């Protein structure tokens, strides 16, 4: 914190999910991962945008190729800190002013199929 490093501490089995420290450690790792992606400005002047809150990430893209590229970047950066994107907890949604373009059965992005939601 504030440019200072704490003393080393050893954990035997990790931190339990739901523990206060668990959320804090998760957010620190998530912040580092997303910071490395250099997302700035807004979707109004970009092809992609990442919004993060607590342990959720919303990825917005103007096209499927832009989404695929960003998902590949997220997977690569997550792998650098020992994390993986869980396909079972990841959903895909399409947004459009035209109702017929909103329907989605799922999407395969970079070889991984994600459940579609309306």
């Amino acid at each position: 914190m504030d440019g200072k490093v704490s003393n080393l501490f050893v954990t035997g089995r990790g931190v339990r999910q739901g523990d206060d420290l668990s959320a804090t450690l998760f957010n620190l790792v998530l912040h580092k991962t997303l910071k490395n992606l250099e997302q700035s400005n807004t979707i109004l002047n970009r092809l992609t945008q990442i919004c993060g809150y607590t342990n959720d990430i919303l990825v917005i893209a103007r096209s499927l190729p832009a989404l695929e590229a960003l998902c590949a970047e997220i997977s690569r950066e997550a792998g650098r800190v020992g994390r993986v994107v869980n396909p079972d907890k990841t959903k895909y949604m399409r947004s459009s002013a035209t109702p017929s373009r909103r329907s989605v059965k799922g999407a395969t992005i970079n070889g991984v199929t994600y459940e579609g939601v309306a």
Side-chain angles (χ1 to χ4, degrees):
M1 296 295 272
D2 297 324
K4 298 177 186 172
V5 178
S6 72
N7 294 330
L8 180 67
F9 61 93
V10 179
T11 59
R13 287 193 276 158
V15 180
R16 289 182 178 207
Q17 187 173 356
D19 186 271
D20 292 341
L21 185 56
S22 175
T24 301
L25 291 173
F26 181 87
N27 285 330
L28 288 171
V29 172
L30 180 63
H31 177 75
K32 178 178 175 42
T33 303
L34 296 181
K35 186 176 179 184
N36 290 339
L37 295 175
E38 292 296 324
Q39 292 285 313
S40 60
N41 300 321
T42 69
I43 193 67
L44 298 175
N45 56 1
R46 299 183 51 82
L47 287 176
T48 60
Q49 183 73 45
I50 298 175
C51 304
Y53 180 75
T54 311
N55 62 348
D56 293 320
I57 302 172
L58 172 65
V59 179
I60 303 168
R62 290 183 177 265
S63 68
L64 190 55
L67 180 63
E68 289 172 338
L70 185 55
C71 286
E73 283 185 67
I74 291 170
S75 292
R76 184 184 68 246
E77 289 299 324
R80 287 184 181 171
V81 293
R83 308 298 343 151
V84 295
V85 176
N86 184 343
D88 295 332
K89 293 184 176 182
T90 304
K91 309 294 184 229
Y92 173 83
M93 177 191 288
R94 245 176 117 169
S95 178
S96 175
T98 308
S100 63
R101 295 185 69 202
R102 286 185 225 147
S103 64
V104 62
K105 294 182 175 92
T108 301
I109 300 170
N110 301 325
V112 179
T113 300
Y114 299 101
E115 177 187 353
V117 295

